Amino acid sequence: MTLNYDELRALDARHVWHPFTQAGTAPPPILALGARGATIYGADGREYLDLVSSWWVNLHGHAHPAIAQAVADQAARLEQIIFADFTHEPAIRLAARLTELLPGDLDRVFWSDNGSTAVEVALKLAHQYWHNLGEERTTYVAFEGGYHGDTVGAMSAGRASGFFTAWERMLFPVEMVPFPATWDGDPDPEAKEAVALDALERILDRHRGKVAAVIVEPLVQGAGGMRMCRPEFLRALAARIRDAGSLLIFDEVMTGFGRTGDLFACRGAGVTPDLVCLSKGISGGFLPLAATVTTERIWRAFLGEDLTTAFLHGHSYTANPLGCAAGLASLDLLVTAECAQQRRTIEAVHRERLAGMSGIARPRVCGTIAAFDLPGGGEGYGAGIGARLKKEFLGRGLLLRPLGNVLYLLPPYCLDRGELERAWDIIAEVVAGL
Ligand SMILES: Cc1ncc(COP(=O)(O)O)c(C=O)c1O
């Protein structure tokens, strides 16, 4: 039975529950018929330039033929298999390649299937690592404004993001440190960093020997408003945590796979954390896949003669072969000189265009990510200006999803200079008219 677009829309309205949406007031979703490169084709006959990489997952453009082919080939061979007692070539090869690209001794990959589970795994590994060593370290430390996903552990670590008030009583306590958000022309980033490091020291002192791990989104806090920090801060943070004998978790679910310029923010910042959470771009935006990568030291603490020290955690679609095949094909594209050049071009255009914009506050760029605040638009995710602007931009063919009064671009790397310049022209026009 084929359904026409109106019938599909009616069925969507009748049966589908969309994420992060107030269905009581939201306009009907756009029915996507297909997408190529950075362009999404709507059933409304319109085209939308995807400047948010479809929730930060897409790297090389939609329906990239090389990745599509890799997925199709893999689907014809082995589509899915239980990952306990079995293993398979795409998961093995992708694990080996990721560990080659990550710094230091981040050599062990635990597969899962989305960013929240990658974080949940990291939090649980940290907890059990200490438990297996005979130490009860149960305190976690995270950053104000941080967002780590929507499962209970991830929400607890992101409790200061403002997204989770409805579930406040479900969450476990996490100590919060202010995030030293900085921007181009910030007169005093060091002062904010000193405040953050001081707060961290006090927590580490107060909970001496009890802090299991500190979790941070390195270089850029995503959902909290594309808030950026300096690599110097991450290096100082890592040193403090190392001195305290605690574990450092980098949540690179958003920052991984080239978003911040370097392949991973940890590499760019010159820090090797104890655990790294990866997802989103890991499959080039094709399939749900995630990894929590850790060191031999942590891996060894889980070895034993029986299940008591084993990590009894797993998801049905762990290490899905299609996702891993997509990941391998995506990595082939990511490590090319051409892709590095595309990322540099995006960064250069962001910088040029932001420098020429007026009526904005806190302009900032980190690799392919550009953001700025709109003064006077209210603050926080729910700020009304965000919804108004989203609608305005969609009307002009741009898929942009402001985070409250923060407007940001996080495009796929295939976006060419002309497309990006056109997007910035429209943004400048809309901002000037506010
Ligand atoms: C930094 C970070 N961690 C974790 C997540 C959760 O990922 P997922 O939506 O795949 O569960 C996100 C999602 O936006 C994120 O930005």
Side-chain angles (χ1 to χ4, degrees):
M1 177 178 71
T2 48
L3 298 170
N4 67 34
Y5 301 154
D6 285 339
E7 288 166 332
L8 284 170
R9 289 191 191 97
L11 285 176
D12 183 275
R14 173 74 187 88
H15 296 294
V16 181
W17 194 328
H18 288 270
F20 275 95
T21 300
Q22 174 45 269
T25 56
I30 296 160
L31 178 58
L33 298 183
R36 259 293 149 134
T39 303
I40 301 167
Y41 303 100
D44 51 9
R46 309 200 50 220
E47 295 182 4
Y48 300 91
L49 198 60
D50 186 351
L51 296 168
V52 296
S53 299
S54 282
W55 251 342
W56 317 344
V57 301
N58 192 285
L59 301 186
H60 313 293
H62 288 276
H64 192 287
I67 306 177
Q69 190 61 53
V71 172
D73 291 348
Q74 184 59 42
R77 255 196 314 274
L78 175 68
E79 82 304 346
Q80 163 65 10
I81 188 162
I82 177 172
F83 205 62
D85 297 322
F86 285 85
T87 192
H88 55 79
E89 184 176 344
I92 297 166
R93 288 183 44 218
L94 188 56
R97 287 191 69 185
L98 288 175
T99 58
E100 258 168 41
L101 295 173
L102 286 164
D105 58 344
L106 286 160
D107 284 335
R108 287 281 166 184
V109 177
F110 188 92
W111 292 112
S112 60
D113 52 15
N114 64 68
S116 306
T117 57
V119 167
E120 215 68 36
V121 165
L123 297 173
K124 287 179 70 176
L125 280 176
H127 185 100
Q128 193 182 347
Y129 168 76
W130 295 112
H131 178 79
N132 285 357
L133 294 186
E135 289 188 42
E136 289 315 310
R137 287 185 179 236
T138 53
T139 301
Y140 290 95
V141 181
F143 282 83
E144 285 167 11
Y147 172 85
H148 301 284
D150 294 341
T151 50
V152 172
M155 286 199 294
S156 301
R159 64 187 311 154
S161 63
F163 285 106
F164 306 127
T165 36
W167 302 284
E168 193 59 38
R169 294 173 68 183
M170 284 178 74
L171 308 184
F172 56 76
V174 172
E175 296 290 333
M176 288 294 161
V177 175
F179 186 78
T182 187
W183 55 89
D184 298 347
D186 180 358
D188 204 354
E190 287 90 354
K192 284 178 287 220
E193 290 168 8
V195 168
L197 291 171
D198 198 52
L200 175 74
E201 299 267 16
R202 275 184 277 117
I203 292 168
L204 291 172
D205 256 4
R206 198 158 12 99
H207 299 272
R208 190 174 290 277
K210 295 284 168 220
V211 175
V214 178
I215 183 167
V216 66
E217 292 162 86
L219 296 181
V220 188
Q221 282 190 329
M226 296 296 156
R227 299 164 83 218
M228 302 180 183
C229 74
R230 301 190 315 157
E232 290 87 336
F233 172 69
L234 294 176
R235 290 195 285 274
L237 175 78
R240 300 291 199 291
I241 294 166
R242 203 130 293 147
D243 288 349
S246 185
L247 300 178
L248 174 59
I249 303 171
F250 269 12
D251 176 353
E252 293 229 32
V253 167
M254 188 278 279
T255 56
F257 301 97
R259 293 292 179 204
T260 64
D262 206 326
L263 287 185
F264 298 98
C266 56
R267 273 177 38 152
V271 175
T272 303
D274 301 287
L275 299 120
V276 179
C277 308
L278 304 173
S279 188
K280 292 203 182 271
I282 196 169
S283 68
F286 267 63
L287 283 141
L289 184 71
T292 307
V293 188
T294 189
T295 59
E296 285 300 297
R297 169 168 77 113
I298 292 183
W299 152 261
R300 273 198 300 275
F302 288 76
L303 301 179
E305 294 303 317
D306 57 37
L307 282 179
T308 52
T309 57
F311 189 50
L312 300 184
H313 180 114
H315 301 279
S316 313
Y317 284 93
T318 286
N320 172 253
L322 304 179
C324 293
L328 285 165
S330 173
L331 266 192
D332 284 344
L333 297 167
L334 185 68
V335 297
T336 58
E338 190 193 346
C339 185
Q341 183 53 47
Q342 286 172 321
R343 301 201 300 275
R344 280 195 296 274
T345 301
I346 291 172
E347 174 166 1
V349 174
H350 284 339
R351 289 195 186 280
E352 279 161 28
R353 299 304 300 255
L354 266 181
M357 292 260 295
S358 49
I360 61 167
R362 299 180 184 181
R364 48 201 187 268
V365 176
C366 183
T368 64
I369 308 168
F372 57 86
D373 296 2
L374 289 160
E379 298 239 331
Y381 186 67
I385 192 166
R388 280 205 311 281
L389 281 178
K390 183 172 71 172
K391 191 164 167 230
E392 172 79 21
F393 285 123
L394 280 174
R396 292 169 178 247
L398 300 186
L399 171 52
L400 282 163
R401 291 175 52 92
L403 296 156
N405 68 325
V406 176
L407 188 59
Y408 75 92
L409 292 84
L410 194 152
Y413 311 145
C414 64
L415 196 75
D416 65 34
R417 184 181 268 272
E419 289 172 317
L420 187 54
E421 295 277 12
R422 185 165 56 82
W424 274 110
D425 287 345
I426 295 172
I427 291 167
E429 209 178 291
V430 168
V431 168
L434 283 176

